[in-house]
Amino acid sequence: MENRLCHALGINTPIIHYPMHTMTNGKMVAAISEAGGLGILGINAGYNVTDATTGASSTDSEVIGNPDNYSILDTMTERNLMNEQINTAIENTFRPFGVEVASKEDSPEKDPTAKSIVELMRKRRLTIALFEGFGKPISKPWVDILHSNGIKILQFVVDFNSATLAINNGLDIVIVNQLALAKRIHKKYPDIIICVKGSDDFSKSKKQLNQVDGIYLNTPFAICKEAIIDDSIRNRLLSAQPTDLVTLSLPFGNFLTFKTPYIEKILTQNLSPNELFKELNRYQGLIDGMVKGNLNQGYCLFDLDSYLIKHSISAQEIINKIYPE
C-alpha cells in the first residue's frame, strides 16, 4: 500500500528532516531530499555559508538576528539568504524539499519577514512548508495564506489540544514527539497524516514506520556529513558517553547538551523551562554552541538517545539504514 506521507509530499521515503535553527543550507537539504527523504531549509538557512553570492550571510556582529524575534534575521536578509539556498538546493536535486516559515504572530500581516518567505515560496513554486509557531498551533490566517499559495503545511505540536487546534484550522501533516500521542490523534482524526520522532537507534526507527505515516529525524541529520555543525561539536558528540551529557528541559521539549561548567552553573538555579531558555540566551545560545562551537556561552540540542550515534554518515546512508530499498 502506498505511504500517505510519500503520496502527499511526492517523496520516496517517509522520513522528514527536522531543521535546527541556523543549521541548514541548500546542499545539506538537497542531499536529504536526493536520498529520498524531505529536506527542509530552516530559519536563517545558509547563514554561515561562506560563498553566499549576495553576501547576505556576512556580518561582523556576534549577535545573530533579532533577539526579541527568536534570532530571526531581518526581512531582507532572511529572504535573500533563503533565496540563495533555494537556488543551491535546486542545483543539487530535482526532488521536493521544504521551507520553514516561522512566526509568533497569529496574522501574516503582523509578520513581514515570515510573509515574505511565503511570497518567495510562491514565486519559486515551492509547495511544502514547515510552520514554526514557537509553541503556538498554526492559526487559520496562516493556513489560509499558505493554502492559497498551493503550499502543504507541516507543524510540530506539543500536545493533543495543540494538535486539535491546528488540525481544525486546516493543518495538513502533524508532527509529534511520542507514539502514544500519535495514536490518540489518529483515533480522533483518522484522515490526518501523522509523523512521530524517530529514534537515533535506526532499528527502532524502522519499527516505528510500521505504526505511523512517517518519522522525523533531528540529531542524525544535524551531524551528518553534509551538515554545517561546528566540527568540534560533531566530534565531541560522536565520542560522548551518557555521563558527558545533561538534560535541558525547555519549553519545546527535553534535549541533551554537553555537561560544561557554564551549563552546570545554570542548572543549579532550578529554573522553569521558560526561565532556563531565557538564561541560556534563547536561540543565540544555541547558535553560539552548535554553529560557532563556543560552549563557554552556548549550548547544544541533541536527542535524548543521541549518545548512541558513533559515526557521522551521509544523509543517504542514514535513510538507507532506516528505509532500505
Side-chain angles (χ1 to χ4, degrees), residues 15 24 41 94 103 114 145 174 186 200-201 262 265 318:
I15 299 173
T24 61
L41 289 167
F94 291 107
S103 180
I145 191 174
V174 177
H186 177 72
D200 292 348
D201 179 342
Y262 167 71
K265 182 179 179 180
I318 291 170

Side-chain angles (χ1 to χ4, degrees), residues 60-112:
D60 295 326
S61 175
E62 290 296 314
V63 177
I64 310 303
N66 181 356
D68 294 327
N69 191 31
Y70 300 94
S71 295
I72 298 173
L73 299 168
D74 66 86
T75 300
M76 183 175 292
T77 304
E78 182 78 2
R79 186 186 185 283
N80 289 347
L81 193 53
M82 185 65 77
N83 194 44
E84 291 177 3
Q85 300 313 308
I86 290 170
N87 286 338
T88 300
I90 290 172
E91 289 170 2
N92 286 276
T93 186
F94 291 107
R95 296 184 175 181
F97 61 90
V99 172
E100 186 170 21
V101 176
S103 180
K104 62 183 179 181
E105 304 292 347
D106 290 330
S107 170
E109 302 307 319
K110 294 181 180 180
D111 194 332

Side-chain angles (χ1 to χ4, degrees), residues 28-263:
M28 173 191 181
V29 165
I32 296 169
S33 289
E34 190 67 14
L38 180 73
I40 299 177
L41 289 167
I43 296 169
N44 299 351
Y47 176 80
N48 70 338
V49 174
T50 57
D51 61 351
T53 56
T54 68
S57 63
S58 301
T59 179
D60 295 326
S61 175
E62 290 296 314
V63 177
I64 310 303
N66 181 356
D68 294 327
N69 191 31
Y70 300 94
S71 295
I72 298 173
L73 299 168
D74 66 86
T75 300
M76 183 175 292
T77 304
E78 182 78 2
R79 186 186 185 283
N80 289 347
L81 193 53
M82 185 65 77
N83 194 44
E84 291 177 3
Q85 300 313 308
I86 290 170
N87 286 338
T88 300
I90 290 172
E91 289 170 2
N92 286 276
T93 186
F94 291 107
R95 296 184 175 181
F97 61 90
V99 172
E100 186 170 21
V101 176
S103 180
K104 62 183 179 181
E105 304 292 347
D106 290 330
S107 170
E109 302 307 319
K110 294 181 180 180
D111 194 332
T113 301
K115 187 178 178 182
S116 75
I117 296 299
V118 177
E119 292 169 351
L120 176 63
M121 292 182 68
R122 175 178 57 81
K123 290 179 180 179
R124 302 306 304 269
R125 299 182 180 180
L126 300 176
T127 60
I128 303 169
L130 172 69
F131 188 84
E132 173 57 74
F134 302 105
K136 296 169 61 176
I138 189 168
S139 67
K140 187 69 165 57
W142 274 114
V143 169
D144 289 345
I145 191 174
L146 287 162
H147 281 173
S148 68
N149 284 287
I151 298 171
K152 293 186 175 69
I153 314 163
L154 304 83
Q155 186 181 24
F156 173 81
V157 295
V158 295
D159 54 34
F160 184 77
N161 289 337
S162 296
T164 297
L165 286 171
I167 292 168
N168 289 340
N169 284 336
L171 182 65
D172 300 299
I173 298 170
V174 177
I175 303 173
V176 298
N177 253 343
Q178 299 176 338
L179 186 59
L181 177 55
K183 290 181 177 179
R184 185 181 176 192
I185 295 169
H186 177 72
K187 185 175 181 180
K188 183 171 182 179
Y189 302 100
D191 294 330
I192 197 75
I193 299 173
I194 306 173
C195 295
V196 72
K197 183 181 181 342
S199 172
D200 292 348
D201 179 342
F202 295 150
S203 63
K204 292 182 179 179
S205 288
K206 282 184 184 180
K207 295 177 181 178
Q208 288 175 307
L209 284 174
N210 294 323
Q211 303 177 71
V212 290
D213 296 303
I215 61 169
Y216 78 88
L217 296 176
N218 187 338
T219 301
F221 285 135
I223 67 167
C224 72
K225 288 182 177 179
E226 296 88 355
I228 59 174
I229 187 172
D230 180 82
D231 285 339
S232 67
I233 298 298
R234 177 194 281 115
N235 294 334
R236 185 165 178 169
L237 178 63
L238 294 176
S239 62
Q241 300 300 317
T243 52
D244 299 322
L245 300 157
V246 63
T247 301
L248 297 177
S249 295
L250 299 173
F252 41 85
N254 295 335
F255 299 87
L256 294 180
T257 189
F258 296 116
K259 189 183 293 184
T260 64
Y262 167 71
I263 292 296

